[in-house]
Amino acid sequence: MDADLFRTPGHLINRLSKLSLRWADERFQRIGLAAAQMPVLYALKDGATSTQTELARMAHIEQPTMAQLLGRMERDGLIKRAANPEDKRSSLVSLTPLAVKKLPAAREVLREGNKLALEGFTEREIETLTKLLLRLLKNVEPMAEQSEVDRLR
């Protein structure tokens, strides 16, 4: 295999993502959370409510995956569901007091991970890296959306 493939931005970003996820998941487990739960916790952190559909869209994951995630979170006492007065077929998801209590520790895990990952970088380098990653996301998100459209055909 061509060794240069392992030095492409796509491969390096994928590798960074996997390593960061492994590091974070070990720490989240200590506080009874998982990295996969972070988009839901973030979306609902200020007392907000949301439907499963909205959460799946926001997290860029498929409905069945979000359903499983919410089922585990409900089992673990992290979310509660209430009837949606605007749509009887769906429910509104919100965080429980237990989840809210865990948010500061989760934020600290995320801060620590960022601090360690960016050790040795200047503020300017961090700013440049962030701008470049945001541009990359702008390019990649439509690709993922198109893949979803193609899958549904």
Side-chain angles (χ1 to χ4, degrees):
M1 185 171 271
D2 187 356
D4 288 339
L5 287 176
F6 295 107
R7 297 185 60 79
T8 63
H11 174 76
L12 294 171
I13 290 167
N14 187 41
R15 187 168 163 213
L16 284 166
S17 176
K18 288 179 181 181
L19 292 170
S20 296
L21 187 59
R22 185 181 315 147
W23 181 91
D25 253 338
E26 289 174 6
R27 280 138 189 92
F28 285 133
Q29 285 176 5
R30 296 176 194 161
I31 57 174
L33 297 173
Q37 298 168 339
M38 292 306 110
V40 173
L41 294 171
Y42 178 79
L44 304 177
K45 72 181 182 327
D46 294 321
T49 61
S50 189
T51 66
Q52 176 180 310
T53 301
E54 291 165 344
L55 290 168
R57 188 175 307 118
M58 182 271 312
H60 302 284
I61 62 175
E62 295 183 18
Q63 285 268 10
T65 304
M66 181 56 73
Q68 290 175 342
L69 177 63
L70 293 176
R72 287 190 303 271
M73 291 179 77
E74 188 172 32
R75 176 201 69 206
D76 296 341
L78 297 172
I79 62 152
K80 59 185 175 189
R81 299 177 203 239
N84 184 349
E86 295 176 17
D87 182 355
K88 300 297 181 199
R89 298 167 297 158
S90 71
S91 59
L92 294 174
V93 179
S94 62
L95 297 182
T96 65
L98 174 63
V100 171
K101 184 178 173 183
K102 292 176 183 236
L103 288 177
R107 282 189 195 101
E108 189 52 40
V109 168
L110 295 171
R111 282 190 189 103
E112 182 185 3
N114 274 313
K115 180 182 173 188
L116 292 171
L118 297 170
E119 193 171 311
F121 284 72
T122 66
E123 286 299 317
R124 188 170 185 158
E125 288 172 326
I126 293 169
E127 185 179 315
T128 299
L129 177 62
T130 301
K131 285 179 182 177
L132 292 170
L133 290 171
L134 287 170
R135 281 177 55 195
L136 190 60
L137 271 174
K138 189 176 175 182
N139 292 342
V140 173
E141 283 177 340
M143 292 166 48
E145 291 168 11
Q146 184 59 49
S147 291
E148 178 66 13
V149 169
D150 292 346
R151 189 184 66 77
L152 294 174
R153 284 186 186 161

